[in-house]
Every structure is written in C-alpha cells, then in structure tokens.
Amino acid sequence: MASGATWIRHSTREYVATADGDEPGPPAKAPPRPGPSCGRPELVARIRPMAHAVTLIPGDGIGPELARATRRVLDASGVEFDWEVVDAGEAVMAKEGTPLPQYVLDSILRNKVAIKGPITTPVGEGFRSVNVALRQALGLYANLRPVRSIPGLKTRYDDVDLVIVRENTEDLYTGIEHMVGPDAAESIKIITRAASERIARFAFEYAVANGRRKVTAVHKANIMKLSDGLFLESCRTVAARYEGRVAFEDRIVDNMCMQLVQKPELYDVLVLPNLYGDIVSDLCAGLVGGLGVAPGANIGTEAAVFEAVHGSAPKYAGQNRANPTALILSGVLLLRHIGEQAAAERVEDSVRAVIAEGRTVTYDLGGSAGTSEFADAIVARLDSPVTSA
Ligand code: NAD
C-alpha cells in the first residue's frame, strides 16, 4: 500500500563496495581501502554508504535557484544523494517538442523519488500543465501539504498545524473541455468512487500513522449532488472503517474557507477533491507566512515527487530573491519518505531556527537576504553542534 505505509517507510543504509570514479555522487566519507599496488587506482574499492538516487527537476522561473539552494542544504544534511538532474518545462519544449519528455518520467520511475522546482504553465493557450501531466502520468494520486506555524513569522495565528490531502488525478484537472459554439465553453468534472476512496484511505492512514485525531472532508455536495456527492459518500464509507480511531466530519468548501480563516485550530487533516485542494492550500499557506514557506509532496504507488505549493513566480526569476524555504521543507518531507528521519529533523530545526532569528531571511519574511544567503545560513546552522531553535 502506498498511502500511510509508504509515507512512514524506513529504509536501511547499506554499505557497498564501489570502484573509485564510478559514481557521480558526492565524495565518499570513508577513505579508500588499501588495495594491491597494481597501479590502477580506479579499481581500488572503498566502503561508503549507499547514496539515495533522487531525480532533481530544477523547473523554471525561480525554480533553478531554489533547486540549487535545496540541493546544497540536503547535501549538508549528512545524507548521501546521487542526484540525477533532468529538465522539463518551457525550455525543453523548444528543444524536444514536449515540455515533459519520456526520459524525465523514466528517471523518476527508476529512482522512485524526485524533487522538482515549479514549472510555468502558459495561461489560456499553449501546452497543458507539466505539473498536472506529471502527477497523472505517474499516478501520483495524493498531494500532501502540511501547514504549520513557524515561530518568529508574523502571522495572524501562531498555532496552526494542519495537513491538507488533495486528490491529484481527477476533478476539473482532467483537462476535458471544449467550446460549445463560439460563445460558450464546457469543462468536465470527473469524480470516481475509486479515486475518492483511495484519497480518503490515504488521509485516514496518514492520520493513524502520524497521531492525528480528525479528518474533515471538504466538498460542495449541496450543489454538485452527483460529483461532490460521490466524493463525500466515498469519504464516509472509508471513515466508517476508522471509527473509534480517527474522528470524521465534513464541511462545505465555502464555509470551510471562512472557518479556516477564523478558527484554524479546530482542524487537523483535510481531504479535498483536486480544485478545492488547490485553492484551500494557498489559503492555508497564507495562514502560516505565505507561499514561500509551504511545502508539498505528490505520492503514488510507484513514485513520489516533492515540490513547493508555490509556482514559478516569473517576476522574481534569476534575481536571487525568492524564498527557498518551501522547497527545502519539501526536501524535509523527502528525507522522511526515504527513512532519513534524523536528517529531516535536523534540516527542519535549522530552517525554523534561521527564520526565528530573522536576520538572514528573504523579502517575503521581512528580511533582505537573497535565496543563496538564506541557504548559507541554514547550512551554517546544520554544521553547528546545536541546531534546534
Ligand atoms: P506563484 O506561486 O508563482 O507566485 C505568486 C506570488 O507569490 C509571487 O508573485 C510572489 O509574490 C509569491 N511567491 C511565490 N513563491 C515565492 C517564493 N518562493 N518566495 C517568495 N515569494 C513567492 O503563482 P502564479 O504567479 O499564479 O504562477 C506563476 C506560474 O507558476 C504559472 O505559470 C503557474 O501555472 C505556475 N505554477 C506552477 C506550480 C508548480 O510547478 N507546481 C504551482 C503553481 C503555479
């Protein structure tokens, strides 16, 4: 099962013998094992921890600079990575004729884990969203977006601790739309029992695995009685199996938005169809300091892709101004996913400590540091003996 069980999976670090120079990954920590003096250093084996192979998609707009900062921080976490860097998006479209070449999907399926920067989607014309296509092609059915207050950030609340579970594969995002004559357009909203029950199971499994007390299903079943009605019915069916372990309730999406703005502390895990999940995610990001600090993960049975909630913010591209926190915290989710819990805690503590200090943060958090200085401060904190705030 790829829901909660995959999420809390623990991997073991194995030790393997490799030939020097074979691996493009980071330098080995262990010294080369003395071998016969045959004059062929490239064949001298050494013992090193097996690196985690991870696909890295820098993305476009602010994506490449955020990806660079995130890679630096993850490399400084003490975990060994073999990064496989592949490109997708606008620039690739010009070269390959598609913004999402098959080799990108192959790389993710091979490594099972990827981290990606945001990718621009042309508005109203041009290619369909690479982000949506990636989720659909890889069956990344669950979009997980933890939303947690960060000490030191000036926001309306200081105790928000929510988890958004957004269905990622259907709803209005199937892209089935057409013109009905010259002056009307129709978009088809697809909701199936299978996908709705699957995402509800993910939400409940996540709640059980992470000691969460309640799941709230969000819908508009008073108006869309068939589609949203089926989503709600599916959530209720799944909820019945968790009775006594995890509480369940539902809210109509408009009321949910007001409730979240007024009393976010009443909520715990939210499960939503695709479009409401998209909108409510940004609303919740606003509760804890904005899009610059909101991480995310797309989880499927075959692979997981970690990415920030925010987009490519083209107006800040290449200026070393954007906040890398959201992608770095997506990296923390990645570390947990691959079983590197201790490193995940260290990186998260370091990020929170740098933000709490408030000296080296980006413009959106009230500071004047650049993306790379922010990352430098996190790395310095990671390298110091005490990382907690
Ligand atoms: P956006 O999230 O890119 O930016 C909205 C605003 O939020 C920015 O103008 C900026 O003020 C702020 N912001 C976002 N990220 C920030 C960061 N890291 N640091 C500081 N401030 C930040 O949303 P948009 O402008 O609606 O979308 C731009 C493009 O991104 C579009 O093409 C959209 O399709 C795409 N997009 C991609 C993804 C993805 O790759 N998963 C997600 C959302 C949007």
Side-chain angles (χ1 to χ4, degrees):
M1 187 177 61
S3 55
T6 301
W7 186 250
I8 55 167
R9 182 183 67 186
H10 288 263
S11 70
T12 49
R13 289 184 76 155
E14 297 168 40
Y15 285 80
V16 292
T18 65
D20 267 353
D22 269 354
E23 299 244 351
K29 292 241 170 74
R33 195 176 62 188
S37 48
C38 59
R40 295 175 61 193
E42 72 279 9
L43 292 180
V44 176
R46 66 189 179 197
I47 305 296
R48 50 168 289 184
M50 195 169 82
H52 295 280
V54 174
T55 300
L56 173 65
I57 305 169
D60 43 40
I62 55 175
E65 49 207 289
L66 299 186
R68 234 179 347 265
T70 300
R71 181 175 172 171
R72 270 200 66 215
V73 170
L74 292 181
D75 279 337
S77 72
V79 172
E80 301 268 353
F81 288 100
D82 273 340
W83 299 106
E84 191 172 331
V85 182
V86 288
D87 286 318
E90 261 175 335
V92 180
M93 177 78 189
K95 271 190 280 174
E96 309 275 347
T98 166
L100 182 59
Q102 185 60 38
Y103 61 75
V104 175
L105 298 173
D106 290 344
S107 169
I108 300 172
L109 284 171
R110 192 166 49 246
N111 296 328
K112 311 278 182 223
V113 182
I115 187 159
K116 77 172 263 298
I119 295 177
T120 303
T121 306
V123 176
E125 53 179 18
F127 58 81
R128 279 189 60 211
S129 165
V130 173
N131 311 303
V132 173
L134 196 61
R135 295 167 195 167
Q136 288 174 347
L138 298 174
L140 306 174
Y141 68 90
N143 187 191
L144 185 72
R145 292 174 163 180
V147 182
R148 198 173 149 216
S149 297
I150 301 179
L153 275 194
K154 202 164 168 291
T155 53
R156 285 179 199 281
Y157 301 98
D158 54 16
D159 55 353
V160 177
D161 186 8
L162 294 163
V163 177
I164 294 175
V165 176
R166 166 188 171 192
E167 205 289 324
N168 235 355
T169 63
E170 51 182 33
D171 194 353
L172 283 159
Y173 288 68
T174 49
I176 307 169
E177 51 176 12
H178 52 259
M179 296 301 294
V180 184
D183 300 319
E186 200 169 72
S187 295
I188 310 285
K189 170 165 168 147
I190 307 281
I191 299 284
T192 65
R193 190 183 303 280
S196 302
E197 288 195 1
R198 184 173 60 172
I199 198 66
R201 271 197 308 279
F202 183 97
F204 277 94
E205 281 300 317
Y206 181 89
V208 169
N210 292 278
R212 297 274 172 171
R213 64 185 198 288
K214 183 171 75 173
V215 171
T216 304
V218 184
H219 59 86
K220 188 78 182 172
N222 52 330
I223 302 298
M224 280 158 281
K225 294 182 192 297
L226 296 184
S227 54
D228 281 25
L230 179 57
F231 179 80
L232 177 57
E233 183 190 319
S234 305
C235 289
R236 284 187 176 138
T237 304
V238 172
R241 295 180 209 138
Y242 292 85
E243 214 176 325
R245 290 189 288 159
V246 181
F248 175 72
E249 63 182 9
D250 70 278
R251 291 282 180 277
I252 293 174
V253 63
D254 35 354
N255 176 33
M256 183 81 244
C257 289
M258 186 196 69
Q259 300 265 333
L260 284 169
V261 170
Q262 288 198 322
K263 330 172 212 182
E265 71 283 358
L266 293 187
Y267 298 93
D268 194 350
V269 177
L270 309 182
V271 60
L272 312 92
N274 212 339
L275 179 62
Y276 309 146
D278 194 2
I279 296 166
V280 171
S281 294
D282 276 31
L283 185 154
C284 288
L287 293 175
V288 296
L291 285 170
V293 297
N298 301 290
I299 316 272
T301 49
E302 302 303 316
V305 177
F306 296 81
E307 64 176 340
V309 172
H310 64 72
S312 57
K315 69 180 177 193
Y316 293 119
Q319 296 176 25
N320 192 36
R321 285 194 73 201
N323 186 349
T325 301
L327 196 57
I328 293 171
L329 291 179
S330 303
V332 168
L333 299 178
L334 184 156
L335 286 168
R336 294 214 171 94
H337 182 78
I338 61 176
E340 298 284 1
Q341 307 295 346
E345 300 298 318
R346 274 201 311 280
V347 173
E348 190 171 23
D349 285 352
S350 300
V351 171
R352 292 170 79 85
V354 169
I355 292 175
E357 270 168 19
R359 268 186 285 132
T360 324
V361 295
T362 41
Y363 80 93
D364 56 314
L365 305 187
S368 58
T371 310
S372 53
E373 287 76 36
F374 198 163
D376 287 344
I378 295 166
V379 170
R381 189 89 197 187
L382 268 172
D383 288 342
S384 71
V386 181
T387 56
S388 298

